[in-house]
Amino acid sequence: MGLSNFFNSLFGKAKVTADETLDKAAEFAAEAKVSLEELAASASQKIEELQLSEKTEDFIQTTKVKLDEASEWADEKSHQAREAFEDIIKKVEEKIEELKKDKKEATDISSTEESNQNPE
C-alpha cells in the first residue's frame, strides 16, 4: 500500500508540475505574440512616418505571418506535450492499480493457505 501511495503522490505531483509548466508556456507564447504584434504595429507606423521602402513593409508583413505561425506551433506543441504526459500518467496509474490488485490477490491466497494449514 505504501508503494502505491508513493507512486500516486509522485505522479500526481509530476502531473500538477507539468500542467503548470505547460500553462506557463502557453501564457508566454500568447504574451509574446501580443508583444510582437504591438512591436510590428509600431514598426509599421514608423516606416510609414519615415516613408521607407516597400521592401521593409514586406519584411514586416512576412514577420507578422511568421510570428502567427510560430505562436500556432507553440500552442500545438504545448497541447501535444500535455496529451502525451496525460497518457503516461494514465498508464502509470493503470499499472499501479494492477500492482494493487496483484498484491491483494497474493494476500488473499496467502491468507487462504494459512487457513487451510491451521484448521481450528
Side-chain angles (χ1 to χ4, degrees), residues 77-95:
K77 293 303 174 188
S78 173
H79 183 71
Q80 288 174 351
R82 174 173 279 148
E83 286 178 348
F85 194 73
E86 287 173 353
D87 288 344
I88 291 169
I89 294 295
K90 182 179 177 183
K91 288 176 184 177
V92 168
E93 288 173 343
E94 289 171 356
K95 190 63 177 175

Side-chain angles (χ1 to χ4, degrees), residues 48-95:
E48 287 177 20
E49 290 173 6
L50 298 173
Q51 298 176 346
L52 295 177
S53 72
E54 193 174 300
K55 287 184 180 181
T56 307
E57 184 66 31
D58 290 343
F59 172 75
I60 289 176
Q61 293 304 322
T62 301
T63 302
K64 286 181 181 179
V65 169
K66 295 297 180 184
L67 289 173
D68 285 342
E69 290 172 2
S71 177
E72 289 175 17
W73 179 86
D75 288 343
E76 180 183 333
K77 293 303 174 188
S78 173
H79 183 71
Q80 288 174 351
R82 174 173 279 148
E83 286 178 348
F85 194 73
E86 287 173 353
D87 288 344
I88 291 169
I89 294 295
K90 182 179 177 183
K91 288 176 184 177
V92 168
E93 288 173 343
E94 289 171 356
K95 190 63 177 175

Side-chain angles (χ1 to χ4, degrees), residues 1 5 17 26 43 51 59 71-72 76 88 103 109 111 116:
M1 193 64 130
N5 286 338
T17 301
Q51 298 176 346
F59 172 75
S71 177
E72 289 175 17
E76 180 183 333
I88 291 169
K103 181 180 177 184
I109 290 171
S111 296
N116 289 339

Side-chain angles (χ1 to χ4, degrees), residues 23-37 71 74-75:
D23 288 342
K24 287 179 184 176
E27 286 176 29
F28 175 77
E31 290 172 6
K33 180 181 178 185
V34 169
S35 296
L36 292 172
E37 285 174 348
S71 177
D75 288 343

